[in-house]
């Protein structure tokens, strides 16, 4: 199993969640086989950000199930940096 820097990946994911207040409690799911993490803002309209060890991400809105987002992420889908702008922390 690959070791990942969970704190670094969570920090990357947090920047993609635009409505997260400082200090908000986010759910973090470590993905199997060192594939990265999923940062979940479990509020209406919150969403999920799957973050790979290389820092690339897939943003999935709250209407997308965890499993559907995970499948797309593991298949290589990513949110283009120029297509969405993360919020600076």
């Amino acid at each position: 199993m690959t070791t990942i820097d969970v704190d670094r990946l969570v920090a990357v994911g947090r920047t993609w969640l635009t409505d997260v207040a400082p200090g908000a409690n986010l759910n973090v799911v470590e993905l199997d086989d060192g594939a990265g993490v999923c940062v979940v803002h479990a509020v209406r309209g919150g969403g999920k950000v799957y973050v790979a060890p290389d820092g690339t991400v897939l943003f999935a809105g709250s209407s997308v199930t965890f499993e559907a987002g995970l499948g797309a992420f593991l298949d290589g889908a990513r949110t283009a940096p120029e297509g969405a702008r993360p919020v600076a922390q």
Side-chain angles (χ1 to χ4, degrees), residues 1-88:
M1 185 163 129
T2 305
T3 302
I4 58 173
D5 183 347
V6 172
D7 292 335
R8 180 182 67 82
L9 300 182
V10 169
V12 169
R14 187 178 197 71
T15 67
W16 288 83
L17 295 168
T18 59
D19 295 330
V20 176
N25 188 19
L26 301 173
N27 297 320
V28 177
V29 178
E30 288 187 53
L31 305 177
D32 291 340
D33 301 323
V37 299
C38 180
V39 181
V40 181
H41 190 213
V43 298
R44 183 179 176 100
K48 296 168 277 308
V49 180
Y50 300 86
V51 186
D54 66 0
T56 59
V57 303
L58 175 64
F59 175 81
S62 60
S63 64
V64 177
T65 67
F66 177 84
E67 293 78 16
L70 178 60
F73 177 76
L74 294 176
D75 285 344
R78 298 293 186 267
T79 301
E82 63 275 3
R85 296 176 195 245
V87 176

